[in-house]
Amino acid sequence: MERKVIETGDGSKTLFIPEMNEQYHSVNGAITESTHVYLNAGYKHHKTETPYLFEVGFGTGLNALLTAVEAEKQKRKTTYTTIEKFPLDMKLIEDLNYGKLISEEAEALFTKIHTAKWGEEIQISEYFKMLKIEADLIAFNFADTQNFDLIYFDAFGPDKQPAMWEREVFDKIFKVSNPEAVFVTYSAKGEIRRQLRDCGYMMERLPGPPGKRQMLRGTKPAD
């Protein structure tokens, strides 16, 4: 599948898939969107001192990078598990400019994140450990994984990958979410909110990133 590197509104780059007419991030700003949806509404919102985080859709690794940078800043030991069915070629990764736009430290972290072996838990930095899983979430068995405090749901949109947004997928994630776990996604569709609510999450609509009116955040009730 062809992927083209394009520049977004905040100067950061993303990938565009002509076949799907879909990009990996908002054209209004890749870093801006990821910071707003996943870092601010998710990672910074949840107060667990040693969070276990699960990301659906590793993609370009931007969400992982921003979380790693923030984990070091907060000195907050973070374990990050991410699943991706179609890992990107390193040649495409090398054309992305996230680290360069953030800091020298971020650029080094970005390289470590992408060169880390798939299927092995790797200590990327003092406060950031990650496991990259190459698999299809729909068929994936969570039996051997830690339960999670935070979920970044960053699959392609419901109109592009409808099977990823089905109730069965949300149920699967809910079952491996700890009490008071937080689920964040850029989507604000009413049907997605209802499905997540029916799984058991307490749902709220939040202001969205530039170019998007709203996003969703769910919280699993405490035991």
Side-chain angles (χ1 to χ4, degrees):
M1 187 179 295
E2 181 187 10
R3 295 172 176 85
K4 296 181 177 180
V5 178
I6 62 171
E7 186 169 309
T8 67
D10 62 5
S12 59
K13 295 180 180 180
T14 192
L15 300 177
F16 174 68
I17 304 175
E19 182 181 327
M20 295 174 65
N21 190 29
E22 179 80 321
Q23 59 275 338
Y24 278 63
H25 306 96
S26 169
V27 294
N28 294 291
I31 289 178
T32 299
E33 178 190 43
S34 289
T35 299
H36 181 95
V37 175
Y38 301 104
L39 200 68
N40 293 343
Y43 188 76
K44 292 182 179 180
H45 171 74
H46 201 291
K47 303 306 180 184
T48 302
E49 291 183 6
T50 56
Y52 283 82
L53 196 153
F54 180 64
E55 178 192 33
V56 176
F58 176 65
T60 65
L62 176 55
N63 295 334
L65 173 64
L66 293 173
T67 305
V69 169
E70 189 63 25
E72 294 302 308
K73 181 179 177 181
Q74 293 188 21
K75 300 188 184 324
R76 186 181 182 192
K77 289 191 179 296
T78 300
T79 303
Y80 195 104
T81 300
T82 182
I83 192 166
E84 174 63 55
K85 187 176 180 179
F86 301 110
L88 295 172
D89 189 286
M90 278 301 296
K91 290 181 180 179
L92 282 172
I93 298 300
E94 290 167 0
D95 288 335
L96 300 173
N97 61 347
Y98 307 139
K100 294 175 184 177
L101 290 177
I102 299 171
S103 67
E104 288 185 13
E105 292 80 5
E107 190 166 5
L109 282 172
F110 193 58
T111 298
K112 288 181 180 179
I113 285 168
H114 279 287
T115 55
K117 289 184 179 179
W118 289 81
E120 294 183 21
E121 192 171 72
I122 306 292
Q123 192 75 44
I124 301 296
S125 60
E126 183 176 359
Y127 293 96
F128 189 77
K129 183 189 298 183
M130 82 179 303
L131 169 63
K132 299 189 297 186
I133 300 169
E134 184 177 354
D136 183 349
L137 174 62
I138 296 170
F140 184 68
N141 183 357
F142 281 99
D144 297 326
T145 63
Q146 166 76 35
N147 281 10
F148 302 106
D149 303 300
L150 276 162
I151 296 91
Y152 293 173
F153 200 88
D154 198 16
F156 288 127
D159 57 329
K160 307 295 183 180
Q161 281 189 319
M164 292 291 290
W165 299 81
E166 295 290 343
R167 170 70 186 273
E168 291 78 7
V169 173
F170 297 143
D171 277 332
K172 177 185 287 194
I173 293 172
F174 185 83
K175 289 175 182 176
V176 293
S177 299
N178 287 323
E180 300 185 327
V182 168
F183 180 112
V184 284
T185 183
Y186 63 86
S187 178
K189 287 183 177 291
E191 178 59 26
I192 303 303
R193 181 181 63 83
R194 286 188 290 273
Q195 289 195 52
L196 287 165
R197 180 198 62 200
D198 291 345
C199 288
Y201 289 108
M202 299 180 292
M203 298 304 300
E204 56 186 323
R205 288 192 177 96
L206 302 176
K212 192 167 180 59
R213 191 166 64 89
Q214 295 180 323
M215 58 165 284
L216 294 176
R217 181 168 67 200
T219 303
K220 186 172 183 176
D223 284 346

